[in-house]
Amino acid sequence: MKNLKKNLLQIAAIFLLSFVAISCSDSDDNVNGTSRVIVKMTDAPGDYDAVFVDVLDVRVKNSSNSDESGWESIGNINPGIYNLLELTGGVTVLLADNEIPSGFVGQIRLILGENNTVVKDGITYPLNTPSAQQSGLKLQINQTLQPNVTYNFLIDFDVNQSIVVEAGNSGNFNLHPVLRVTTEAASGSITGVAIAGEFQVLASVTVGGEVVSAFTNENGVFFLHGIPGGTYALTITPEIDSNLPPVIIENVIVTNGETTDVGVISLE
């Protein structure tokens, strides 16, 4: 009987060790390998002729610590000077598309150069970047990237809130970026066409107390990115000079990973 108990204990121990080994192997598989990361940029509205930002790099950090260690370029970057006001109506620009090691990503950082300008009433002004921003614009991600999965991150650059005119000097513009980043799989979108004659239209919804908005393009198309799944009231607001009232569309349902098309909205 003693030998039988001893043998049973040995078998149980072997089974337990095998289970732990397999579990550890499975856990390691969750952080090994690579994930495809795509980073795009779009624009929320601003009252300027053009806003040019000089994008140099996009970097990620594998921890949520506040120190400056652990930053790595995503690689395969599309650097350039981009006019944010061209990124409306669902238009985005591809900043990075590459395979990176899977695992936890705490933050993403947008690195800007010095060639940032704003055009107001036909005149081009330097867009000053405070020294505190020169190390890069940080955005919280806090997501674990799984192997062999593609992650689409969209950086929404809110022009209207990001540009500050220095008091008493209408020609001195400072860049204090207001950005939000969303993941395609964790949010949806709203699109449609708003017609108000020759006038531009602003489409907006409120998400957790924050207004997400976008102007229509020359064809009247608007596109609201990064809207978490839920039911929203969509507000369509034409320019004041149009003398047209805003229109509110209730019960617009958004599903994560999908685009909700509300169709054509005529304000005339």
Side-chain angles (χ1 to χ4, degrees):
M1 180 66 67
K2 290 183 179 180
N3 290 335
L4 177 60
K5 289 183 178 179
K6 182 177 180 181
N7 290 337
L8 288 175
L9 288 173
Q10 288 175 339
I11 293 172
I14 292 172
F15 176 79
L16 180 60
L17 289 173
S18 299
F19 177 79
V20 170
I22 292 171
S23 299
C24 290
S25 176
D26 289 343
S27 176
D28 289 342
D29 288 342
N30 288 335
V31 295
N32 290 336
T34 61
S35 306
R36 185 183 178 190
V37 172
I38 298 173
V39 180
K40 297 180 181 179
M41 183 170 64
T42 190
D43 167 46
D47 188 21
Y48 300 95
D49 300 338
V51 177
F52 296 97
V53 293
D54 182 13
V55 178
L56 298 181
D57 197 6
V58 182
R59 300 174 184 173
V60 292
K61 185 176 185 179
N62 58 8
S63 72
S64 56
N65 296 333
S66 59
D67 58 58
E68 289 302 306
S69 63
W71 287 101
E72 296 286 345
S73 174
I74 290 177
N76 199 22
I77 305 297
N78 292 321
I81 298 175
Y82 298 101
N83 181 5
L84 294 176
L85 298 191
E86 292 181 349
L87 306 179
T88 58
V91 177
T92 61
V93 62
L94 178 66
L95 299 182
D97 182 352
N98 205 18
E99 297 278 342
I100 68 171
S102 301
F104 181 78
V105 172
Q107 296 173 310
I108 190 170
R109 174 184 270 179
L110 185 64
I111 306 295
L112 298 185
E114 298 180 353
N115 296 316
N116 305 297
T117 57
V118 57
V119 181
K120 179 76 171 177
D121 298 326
I123 302 175
T124 301
Y125 301 92
L127 189 53
N128 305 312
T129 305
S131 58
Q133 300 289 355
Q134 291 176 359
S135 62
L137 315 175
K138 300 176 185 177
L139 296 159
Q140 297 294 329
I141 298 294
N142 295 328
Q143 186 167 348
T144 299
L145 307 185
Q146 299 299 325
N148 305 315
V149 175
T150 297
Y151 294 85
N152 291 279
F153 294 107
L154 181 68
I155 298 175
D156 195 341
F157 210 120
D158 193 326
V159 167
N160 199 42
Q161 297 186 55
S162 297
I163 299 177
V164 178
V165 182
E166 187 173 301
N169 190 344
S170 59
N172 195 349
F173 295 87
N174 294 322
L175 180 62
H176 295 276
V178 176
L179 310 175
R180 58 192 292 265
V181 62
T182 55
T183 308
E184 184 179 88
S187 63
S189 306
I190 301 174
T191 189
V193 178
I195 300 174
E198 61 182 8
F199 298 98
Q200 197 171 40
V201 175
L202 182 71
S204 62
V205 297
T206 300
V207 179
E210 176 186 5
V211 176
V212 179
S213 59
F215 277 124
T216 53
N217 63 11
E218 64 274 9
N219 298 316
V221 177
F222 63 87
F223 207 104
L224 298 173
H225 297 274
I227 310 299
T231 302
Y232 299 89
L234 172 66
T235 301
I236 306 296
T237 307
E239 289 183 46
I240 294 178
D241 293 344
S242 70
N243 293 318
L244 296 171
V247 172
I248 299 177
I249 302 174
E250 302 284 356
N251 300 318
V252 176
I253 299 174
V254 176
T255 302
N256 290 340
E258 299 182 8
T259 297
T260 299
D261 190 341
V262 298
V264 178
I265 303 163
S266 180
L267 303 175
E268 298 178 300

